[in-house]
Every structure is written in structure tokens, then in C-alpha cells.
Amino acid sequence: MPALIPRPTEAAFPPGHFTLDHHTTVRLGAGTETAADLLRSLLAPATGLPLRPSPDGPFTLALDPAPGQLGDEGYALTVTPDAVLLRAAHPTGLLRGIQTIRQLLPAQALSAAPQPDTGWLLPCADITDVPRHPWRGAMLDVARHFQPVSYLRRYVDLLALHKISVFHLHLTDDQGWRMPIAAYPKLTEIGGHRAESQQGPAGTGTYDGTPHGGSYTRTELADLVRYAAARGVTVLPETEMPGHVRAALAAYPALGNHPGRTLDVWTRWGVCDTVLGVHDEALDFCRTVLDEVMDVFPSPYIHIGGEECPTAEWTHSPAAHHRMAAEGLPNAQALHGWFLGQIGDFLVRNGRRPVGWAETGAELPLDFTVMTWREAAHTLAAARRGHPVVNAYHRTTYLDYARSGDPHEPPAQPGAVVDLRTVHAHDPVPAEADAEAAGRVLGTQAQLWTEFVTTPAHIEYLTYPRLCALADRGWSGTTDWTDFRTRLSDHTVRLDALGIPHHP
């Protein structure tokens, strides 16, 4: 069996191969044009093959709603010595099948440079493939350390190769605000840049001593969304509120609980105690930001963070006490759930589904989709409460932790090692879940927070091959560790062709 990651649901590989060459043409069924464009654009750099459309081409792309068992992402691929047929019930399924075709071809097909002396042989195959979980995500934090949009497109390409369905883009935090908001231009003008810290050297302890900045244009983000969609990847935006907003408060102090205070964009890591106020101006700010977020990102889900929100400022704020009295809330801690309820309701009324991090497993309103991260038991607790859940347990999915105990590993988040086998062993569905609770687990997601990660090379060193393990588990369900390692051993040739640093 060719080494495919993730592993297909059903696959057989009879003898023989189909040869792709300059004479190969593609027969396009109705609605398959986008998939054909992707096939050509992905294969052209290495192969130079035009793959022109033809009504009698031997390579066929077809949409067939009849095989309902394929769902939105499943596909069926048949390769014989004389023909290739890729069919799906939904256009996204064709995009998934194209990534399988890329993996079946020689690894040189993934190269960005021409490979003129390679024979493009596609092994005969009969594959039916359907994912176990619809949510197979990867989160990249560009708030702590900005990455250019050109790299984000490469990041999307690598996700698509591994059939990752969600690119979670963490756009704002205490240390930086990366998305422009027309009504609040200082968010990027001031909040997008942090100065040199006098507290400690760069990359050590809890401080970042290096000046840093950057932001995207609205056009760049909209183009990224389209680029990802053409590859079957949904971009999920995250703009943090009501905590993790120090960069926003540096730009607009009146949004906080001490309007006369001057703040800097935070140069520390960890949890900052400055949070948004709960007065009308702060809520209007959040709604305005989310209006623009929804304009740029068509994702059905919108992430607002919501976790790690200290309430000390609310405890001492007259405006917060006025809000508590008006809403009949018992204390400042109750303002957190009230605030999230206001924002969640706004998103629901606009046809979107709010997403938040669950810090305790019980603090989010019921219309939120929950990302559980702090404790493994929170996934089951949230599902039993009725939430759709994405299992992002930090001890199995946080790729900013070191991937081995080797003392020569680059700087990483302090904490336990999250090695390849740990990621592969992570089942998003708790063993104790009954059928109803299990059905609410949408899937899983990897996270890469970038306090200690500044470059694309470092991002990819930490991400791969661990994301291969998460992709395999999220798409294929339980796979044997030895089988996965065998397939990964062959898959590393593809990572090499893509220029990805990875574990030996």
C-alpha cells in the first residue's frame, strides 16, 4: 500500500499504473472546474503538464450526489492503466481526492521547481475515503509574532495536503493586533507594534525584548480566505475579548476600565490583567470589530477567545458595578459570562456560530461551540452540557511544547514534552462518552502559540511531523502506531520535497 497520510478508509492497489504526460487531458463534469484548476496549479510547477480539458479525456472529475455515504468531504478514486476517475458528492470531496493523487504520485510532484526527468506514474488504485471528524484544525498565532501573508498561503497549502479542514488564525492578543478595522485605525497603527522591553532579553523567561510589528490589509485577508477555500480549507478568525486585549487598550484606553491610563502593547507573555470594560462603548467596539471580521471571513464559525479573563479590574470599576446592578449580577466574576452572552447573541443574530476557549469547561453560554484545552475532562463535560466541542487538550495538541526532551531542541513553551506518539494517541472523543455526547464532538485541532516562535522555519519544525499524526487521527480514527510510523517514514520524502524541516 502506498504510504498515504491520512490513511484512507478503504483502499486496494492492484498492479499497474496510469501515466500522466503532456497528452493527458481531463474530462470535467458539471461543477468540477474549481477542482480542475487546483489540480493543474498544484501539479504544474514540478511536472509542467498542461492537463487540458477535453470531453473525452481519460482523467475524469465528476460530481455525483447519488453516493450519499461520501458526505461533504468523502471521495472515490479509481485508477486503472487506461483511466482515472475521481468522484465525490460535494466539490470539497474532489479537493480532498486531489491531495491523495498528489501523494500517490512520485514525491517530486510536490516540488516547486521543474522536475524534467521524472516519470509521472499514478499507481492503480481503488479508494473510498470518508473522514471520521469534520473538524480537523490547525491554529497559528500571528499576534505574538507576525507572519507575512505569503507564508500563510504556504501554511494553507501544507494543511490542505494533509486534509486539514480548518485554519484557525489567531489575529489579536495582548502583544499585537493584526487585522485592520476601519472605524478604529489605531488598532494596527499602535496596537500592531510593540517596543523593546527593558525587562529581559528576547526569547527568554516571560519577556520579549525585541521590537516587533506588522498587520495585514483587508485585501490580503480576503485573498487568503479565497485561496484557502479553493483548497477546501476554512479560515476561522479569532479576535480576543474581553481579555487578552492589551494591544487594543494601548490604542484606545477608553475601552478599558481606566480610561485615563496610558498602556503599551504588552511585551510580556502570560495572562495580562487589563481587560475590556463592560460599558456600552466597549460593547459597541466589539460589535464593530466583529462586523468587519464577518465581512472578511465567511466562516460559519467566529472565534472570540473568551478565556483567561481576570476580573480584578471589574471588581474596582464603578462602571462595572453599575452594570452588575443593572443586570442583577451577583459579582464581578458573573460579568464574564454576561459579556460573552452579549457577544455570542450578536453573532447568532448575524447567522454565525460563536466559538470560545473553555477554561473551566462550564463558563460559556450554550450557543457557543467550545474549544476545550485546559483539562481532558472538560471535553466530556461540555458535550454533556449540549455544546458542540472541538477537543484541543493542550497536553496532546499544543505544538508550541517541545517535541522531544533533547537538550538541543529550540526554545519552546515551558511544560511537558508533547511528542509524536502523544499526538497520535489522542482520541478527540472521550472513552466515557455515550453516543449523544460523542456525536457533539466535532473533532480536534492543533495549536501553535508563538511566544518563542519567530520564523516560518521554526513554525514548520514544530508543526511537522506532529500535525501528520493529528491529521491521521482526525480523518482516519484509530490507526495502529506501527502502521502510522511506517507510513510516516515514507511520507517524510514528501516533506523533504516541500522543504519542511522535520524530526529524523
Side-chain angles (χ1 to χ4, degrees):
M1 178 183 291
L4 297 175
I5 291 181
R7 184 185 178 95
T9 308
E10 298 177 8
F13 297 94
H17 62 265
F18 177 89
T19 301
L20 288 166
D21 58 28
H22 283 271
H23 303 290
T24 302
T25 56
V26 182
R27 183 187 310 177
L28 303 183
T32 66
E33 293 81 7
T34 298
D37 288 343
L38 179 65
L39 178 69
R40 292 189 197 97
S41 66
L42 291 176
L43 296 186
T47 70
L49 300 179
L51 299 177
R52 298 181 183 88
S54 169
D56 56 356
F59 194 127
T60 301
L61 301 177
L63 284 175
D64 180 4
Q69 70 273 16
L70 292 179
D72 288 346
E73 295 188 86
Y75 63 93
L77 175 65
T78 303
V79 181
T80 70
D82 301 313
V84 177
L85 171 61
L86 174 62
R87 62 189 179 92
H90 187 276
T92 304
L94 294 178
L95 304 181
R96 303 287 181 248
I98 285 169
Q99 300 297 340
T100 296
I101 289 170
R102 292 180 77 200
Q103 290 196 23
L104 288 172
L105 287 167
Q108 296 93 317
L110 300 171
S111 174
Q115 305 291 310
D117 299 323
T118 304
W120 303 114
L121 307 181
L122 194 60
C124 290
D126 189 2
I127 297 173
T128 302
D129 203 8
V130 181
R132 182 188 180 200
H133 297 290
W135 194 300
R136 306 171 310 281
M139 188 282 293
L140 180 62
D141 166 23
V142 295
R144 271 55 173 258
H145 281 103
F146 177 78
Q147 300 298 331
V149 75
S150 58
Y151 178 67
L152 298 188
R153 288 193 290 269
R154 172 176 164 86
Y155 189 85
V156 165
D157 281 329
L158 298 178
L159 299 186
L161 176 66
H162 295 91
K163 300 184 175 69
I164 296 295
S165 59
V166 178
F167 174 23
H168 177 173
L169 186 60
H170 185 80
L171 286 162
T172 73
D173 217 298
D174 295 311
Q175 298 85 3
W177 187 288
R178 307 303 178 199
M179 177 175 174
I181 303 297
Y184 295 93
K186 293 180 183 178
L187 287 173
T188 51
E189 293 170 4
I190 294 175
H193 302 270
R194 62 179 180 266
E196 181 178 359
S197 169
Q198 303 304 314
Q199 309 288 354
T204 63
T206 59
Y207 294 93
D208 176 19
T210 306
H212 183 77
S215 60
Y216 305 106
T217 67
R218 183 184 173 105
T219 298
E220 284 177 328
L221 291 173
D223 287 347
L224 176 67
V225 167
R226 286 189 287 270
Y227 185 88
R231 287 149 180 77
V233 177
T234 298
V235 182
L236 168 70
E238 181 182 357
T239 49
E240 287 267 10
M241 55 186 74
H244 287 285
V245 290
R246 175 71 171 255
L249 296 179
Y252 294 97
L255 299 173
N257 296 285
H258 300 281
R261 179 175 56 183
T262 299
L263 296 169
D264 58 355
V265 177
W266 219 32
T267 55
R268 292 194 62 172
W269 312 134
V271 179
C272 185
D273 60 2
T274 54
V275 303
L276 289 174
V278 292
H279 51 301
D280 289 344
E281 183 180 355
L283 290 167
D284 289 342
F285 163 78
C286 293
R287 296 183 187 108
T288 299
V289 166
L290 291 172
D291 272 333
E292 294 207 29
V293 168
M294 289 187 286
D295 281 345
V296 173
F297 297 93
S299 164
Y301 297 90
I302 301 293
H303 207 305
I304 64 165
E307 91 294 13
E308 295 181 330
C309 179
T311 58
E313 288 193 343
W314 292 340
T315 300
H316 302 291
S317 164
H321 279 272
H322 177 76
R323 180 69 74 183
M324 282 184 261
E327 301 296 335
L329 300 174
N331 51 43
Q333 288 73 27
L335 282 167
H336 182 234
W338 174 85
F339 188 104
L340 294 176
Q342 297 296 304
I343 299 305
D345 181 65
F346 173 74
L347 291 171
V348 169
R349 285 187 281 109
N350 281 275
R352 305 299 182 94
R353 303 172 196 171
V355 184
W357 299 104
E359 192 172 359
T360 68
E363 74 275 19
L364 290 172
L366 280 174
D367 53 7
F368 271 71
T369 294
V370 173
M371 283 191 174
T372 54
W373 65 278
R374 187 179 285 278
E375 298 292 343
H378 290 169
T379 297
L380 183 58
R384 284 176 172 169
R385 287 186 72 226
H387 292 283
V389 186
V390 177
N391 189 331
Y393 178 45
H394 70 296
R395 292 301 184 196
T396 57
T397 71
Y398 274 36
L399 305 186
D400 45 312
Y401 288 118
R403 63 186 196 180
S404 81
D406 190 314
H408 300 295
E409 286 286 326
Q413 197 75 250
V417 167
V418 176
D419 62 15
L420 182 68
R421 188 160 193 168
T422 298
V423 179
H424 181 265
H426 173 61
D427 190 339
V429 179
E432 306 87 347
D434 59 19
E436 185 177 5
R440 295 195 182 104
V441 178
L442 301 177
T444 188
Q445 179 173 287
Q447 280 62 236
L448 185 57
W449 306 101
T450 59
E451 288 94 334
F452 304 96
V453 184
T454 61
T455 65
H458 196 178
I459 289 171
E460 292 181 4
Y461 177 86
L462 290 173
T463 302
Y464 296 95
R466 289 186 291 180
L467 190 66
C468 302
L470 183 135
D472 203 61
R473 195 66 191 251
W475 179 282
S476 310
T478 302
T479 58
D480 178 76
W481 169 246
T482 302
D483 168 68
F484 170 71
R485 281 307 308 262
T486 300
R487 286 181 288 119
L488 180 64
S489 179
D490 291 341
H491 187 67
T492 55
V493 179
R494 302 182 189 115
L495 302 183
D496 289 337
L498 289 161
I500 299 172
H502 56 82
H503 199 279

